[in-house]
């Protein structure tokens, strides 16, 4: 199936939407059923304490349950108010909408962190979890704020109790029909939105923002990166902008770290949207993101999959993304599993990037048992301005976290993941900080096949100095149009073979 066929299939599956399709001007008017304000269920505005957060979590959970019982009801977080909360959840709801017009914040007082539930031993609970639902909507013109600063700091110091994973912001699992629209997600302790085992997902006009400047300050990079941070902790730095000192600092940092074989990244894993294992028929459009990590990371099975039949994350289209300081529209990372790990039939199209660390990013991961598939992935119609690292990266994931997790800057290629049918079409990258067009690395025992590079042009800041750009290429086969620049050569292992067409 080509990328075009995937798009047509998805649009056919997802349109028309049910009552959850929202108009930006009057989203409540198009929702069926009654509207239930959390204020009527004991919510307490403004107060950042464990008592208020407990009351607000109870109010949100109760209102969601009442909206379900009433039949296609909507829960309203009123505009003009801020509600600090501990984790809240809903299960087995049908036709329920959560409309966030105000601000929902994770309570971040010390007693709130001590009270944060850890239902699963492996990680703290997400701020909001919705499972086993049908035709659910999360929307509104408000914000869900994870207030991740304390979690990030504790992570840097390896002080997360029991090495548990930090809480994410929104997690949805095991259902059919999910609509997300217009909302802002910010400063999650780890990933912002994750969903798996859901069929029929529509996400439109979501904004994701991470205060990466204060993350970098926590990591001791304030002076090195020339950061410009407001003195008032409650004031946000500029959105989607860099001061001249920050641009110069980030460029120097990237050059020095890569020359030393290190990864110029922040280790906080604040991904934007992560469609996980079993997610199918997903359409994401009009996403705006500044998060210093994977903007979208399509994930395979990352847990215990023993005894399960092969589960694919598949049939996903992402359109019209606007990305600032992100780490790519990503596939993976994919590690080998038994049964087979699988991601296939994914289309990213119509994206614009400014200062990305990576833009096209397909990544495998280590492991020596089982296998995996990455198949039929399309990146098309993209503009990439001033990439900090490589605009195109296909190969093993670069990662090294404070607790030692990760294979480092230049990992070994993965022979157990089969990568095929990767289409790069109509992509232009200019002003890159590094003197390479991209990284294309597969394993000699299992080369990547049918890698199609069509009208892809990459120039760097070194191009005007007469430097000939190239790809770092290993064990990759495919075709490239003569209009593309540069053209991959035989590579460092002599096993890269691209037919010019």
């Amino acid at each position: 199936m080509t990328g075009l066929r995937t798009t047509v299939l998805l649009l056919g599956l997802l349109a028309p939407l049910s009552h959850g399709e929202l108009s930006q001007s009057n989203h409540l008017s198009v929702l069926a059923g009654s509207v239930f304000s959390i204020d009527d269920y004991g919510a307490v505005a403004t107060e950042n304490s464990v008592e208020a957060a407990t009351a607000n979590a109870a109010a949100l959970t109760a209102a969601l349950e009442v909206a379900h019982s009433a039949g296609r009801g909507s829960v309203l977080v009123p505009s003009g108010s801020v509600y600090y909360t501990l984790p809240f959840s809903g299960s087995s709801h049908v036709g329920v909408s959560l409309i966030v017009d105000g601000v929902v914040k994770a309570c971040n007082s010390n007693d709130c962190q001590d009270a944060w539930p850890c239902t699963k031993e492996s990680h703290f609970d997400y701020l909001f979890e919705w499972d086993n639902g049908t035709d659910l909507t999360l929307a509104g013109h408000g914000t869900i704020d994870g207030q991740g600063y304390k979690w990030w700091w504790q992570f840097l110091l390896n002080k997360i109790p029991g090495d548990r994973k930090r809480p994410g912001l929104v997690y949805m699992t095991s259902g059919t029909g999910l609509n997300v629209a217009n909302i802002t997600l910010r400063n999650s302790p780890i990933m912002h939105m994750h969903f798996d085992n859901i069929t029929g997902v529509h996400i439109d006009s979501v904004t994701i923002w991470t205060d990466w400047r204060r993350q970098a300050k926590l990591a001791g990079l304030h002076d090195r990166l020339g950061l410009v941070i407001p003195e008032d902790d409650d004031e946000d730095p500029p959105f989607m902008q860099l001061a001249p000192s920050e641009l110069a600092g980030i460029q120097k940092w990237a050059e020095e770290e890569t020359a030393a074989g290190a990864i110029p990244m922040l280790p906080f894993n604040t991904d934007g949207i992560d469609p996980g294992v079993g997610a199918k028929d997903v359409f994401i459009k009009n996403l705006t993101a500044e998060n210093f990590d994977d903007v979208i990371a399509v994930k395979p099975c990352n847990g215990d999959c023993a005894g399960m039949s092969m589960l694919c994350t598949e049939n996903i289209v992402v359109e019209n993304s606007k990305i600032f300081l992100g780490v790519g529209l990503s596939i993976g990372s994919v590690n080998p599993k038994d049964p087979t790990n699988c991601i296939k039939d994914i289309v990213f199209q119509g994206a614009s990037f400014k200062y990305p660390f990576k833009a096209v990013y397909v990544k495998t991961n280590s492991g020596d048992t089982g296998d995996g598939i990455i198949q039929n992935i399309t990146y098309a119609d993209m503009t990439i301005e001033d990439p900090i690292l490589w605009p195109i990266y296909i190969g093993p994931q670069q990662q090294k976290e404070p607790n030692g997790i990760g294979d480092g800057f230049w990992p070994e290629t993965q022979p157990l993941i089969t990568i095929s049918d990767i289409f790069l079409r109509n992509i232009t990258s200019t002003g890159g900080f590094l003197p390479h067009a991209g990284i294309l690395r597969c394993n000699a025992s299992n080369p990547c096949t049918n890698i199609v590079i069509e009208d892809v042009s990459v120039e760097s800041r070194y191009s005007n100095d007469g430097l000939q750009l190239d790809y770092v290429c290993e064990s990759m086969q495919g075709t490239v149009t003569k209009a593309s620049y540069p053209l991959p050569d035989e590579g460092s292992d002599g096993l890269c073979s691209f037919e010019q067409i």
Side-chain angles (χ1 to χ4, degrees):
M1 180 187 295
T2 67
L4 177 60
R5 288 176 58 198
T6 304
T7 306
V8 172
L9 174 60
L10 258 174
L11 293 176
L13 286 167
L14 292 175
L17 290 175
S18 63
H19 76 277
E21 186 172 15
L22 307 177
S23 71
Q24 292 194 12
S25 60
N26 190 13
H27 51 258
L28 287 179
S29 67
V30 299
L31 294 175
S34 301
V35 177
F36 303 92
S37 171
I38 63 170
D39 286 347
D40 297 329
Y41 293 86
V44 179
T46 308
E47 185 179 333
N48 185 16
S49 69
V50 70
E51 292 80 15
T54 301
N56 289 336
L60 284 156
T61 300
L64 287 167
E65 201 62 37
V66 170
H68 166 68
S69 298
R72 296 193 174 275
S74 301
V75 174
L76 175 65
V77 178
S79 62
S81 296
V82 178
Y83 300 87
Y84 294 87
T85 185
L86 284 164
F88 61 99
S89 61
S91 182
S92 303
H93 293 163
V94 177
V96 173
S97 300
L98 175 58
I99 307 301
V100 179
D101 278 343
V103 177
V104 175
K105 287 191 175 185
C107 180
N108 66 346
S109 63
N110 290 334
D111 50 359
C112 273
Q113 284 201 303
D114 293 338
W116 203 280
C118 190
T119 307
K120 298 180 180 179
E121 291 186 3
S122 58
H123 58 80
F124 289 95
D125 290 5
Y126 281 76
L127 184 65
F128 175 38
E129 297 190 20
W130 225 350
D131 73 89
N132 199 33
T134 302
D135 192 18
L136 304 177
T137 295
L138 172 62
H141 298 291
T143 298
I144 301 178
D145 187 341
Q147 297 210 101
Y149 305 102
K150 288 185 178 180
W151 295 100
W152 299 333
W153 181 236
Q154 290 178 1
F155 173 69
L156 279 180
L157 298 177
N158 288 321
K159 288 187 175 181
I160 300 295
D163 198 32
R164 292 170 180 157
K165 290 184 180 178
R166 291 155 284 153
L169 213 55
V170 177
Y171 176 50
M172 302 178 181
T173 183
S174 301
T176 302
L178 170 64
N179 303 302
V180 183
N182 304 323
I183 200 162
T184 295
L185 306 175
R186 55 178 279 162
N187 285 335
S188 181
I190 195 166
M191 63 189 69
H192 287 77
M193 177 180 288
H194 176 59
F195 54 86
D196 55 28
N197 288 308
I198 291 182
T199 300
V201 178
H202 189 281
I203 299 175
D204 187 4
S205 301
V206 168
T207 298
I208 294 173
W209 181 74
T210 299
D211 189 352
W212 60 269
R213 291 174 175 87
R214 290 187 170 98
Q215 285 185 335
K217 184 177 180 179
L218 289 175
L221 294 170
H222 183 279
D223 292 333
R224 190 175 181 188
L225 298 188
L227 298 178
V228 179
I229 302 176
E231 293 184 7
D232 184 347
D233 288 341
D234 293 328
E235 182 180 350
D236 290 336
F239 182 55
M240 308 285 276
Q241 297 178 44
L242 280 182
S245 64
E246 294 172 329
L247 176 57
I250 290 173
Q251 180 177 2
K252 186 177 180 181
W253 179 51
E255 291 171 347
E256 291 176 348
E257 292 294 290
T258 54
I263 306 168
M265 276 299 303
L266 298 176
F268 298 104
N269 303 114
T270 47
D271 291 8
I273 299 174
D274 287 3
V277 61
K280 184 178 180 180
D281 305 337
V282 178
F283 185 34
I284 302 171
K285 65 178 182 177
N286 304 323
L287 175 67
T288 302
E290 178 183 352
N291 68 321
F292 224 93
D293 216 306
D294 297 273
V295 174
I296 292 176
V298 181
K299 301 286 191 182
C301 177
N302 284 326
D304 182 6
C305 302
M308 298 170 60
S309 60
M310 182 178 73
L311 291 175
C312 270
T313 308
E314 60 183 317
N315 205 22
I316 297 174
V317 171
V318 179
E319 290 185 344
N320 300 327
S321 305
K322 186 177 181 180
I323 298 164
F324 190 88
L325 280 173
V327 190
L329 297 171
S330 304
I331 301 296
S333 62
V334 179
N335 58 323
K337 285 280 188 181
D338 183 12
T340 301
N341 245 349
C342 174
I343 296 178
K344 66 178 183 179
D345 302 336
I346 314 295
V347 177
F348 300 106
Q349 58 189 14
S352 63
F353 299 84
K354 184 71 172 177
Y355 306 123
F357 285 82
K358 300 180 177 86
V360 173
Y361 195 11
V362 178
K363 47 184 172 176
T364 61
N365 212 333
S366 57
D368 54 13
T369 302
D371 58 6
I373 296 169
I374 300 174
Q375 184 179 38
N376 191 32
I377 314 296
T378 297
Y379 292 86
D381 304 325
M382 296 182 174
T383 58
I384 306 166
E385 295 183 52
D386 305 312
I388 295 166
L389 295 180
W390 304 280
I392 298 169
Y393 188 104
I394 301 173
Q397 175 176 242
Q398 296 177 303
Q399 182 186 35
K400 182 59 70 175
E401 296 189 1
N403 59 8
I405 292 175
D407 296 326
F409 176 72
W410 204 252
E412 294 184 3
T413 55
Q414 174 55 269
L416 299 179
I417 306 298
T418 299
I419 301 176
S420 65
D421 308 317
I422 309 295
F423 303 94
L424 311 182
R425 295 186 169 123
N426 191 29
I427 298 173
T428 300
S429 177
T430 57
F433 289 5
L434 299 181
H436 293 290
I439 307 296
L440 308 172
R441 298 182 64 217
C442 289
N443 192 272
S445 67
N446 189 12
C448 295
T449 59
N450 196 31
I451 311 302
V452 177
I453 300 176
E454 181 180 321
D455 299 332
V456 175
S457 174
V458 180
E459 297 181 357
S460 81
R461 296 172 181 235
Y462 302 91
S463 297
N464 292 334
D465 296 332
L467 179 68
Q468 181 74 26
L469 295 184
D470 61 2
Y471 287 96
V472 176
C473 191
E474 300 173 20
S475 302
M476 195 161 293
Q477 302 167 7
T479 59
V480 58
T481 58
K482 295 179 180 178
S484 296
Y485 175 83
L487 304 177
D489 59 21
E490 64 181 12
S492 58
D493 62 357
L495 297 177
C496 280
S497 176
F498 281 83
E499 177 186 359
Q500 294 185 28
I501 57 174

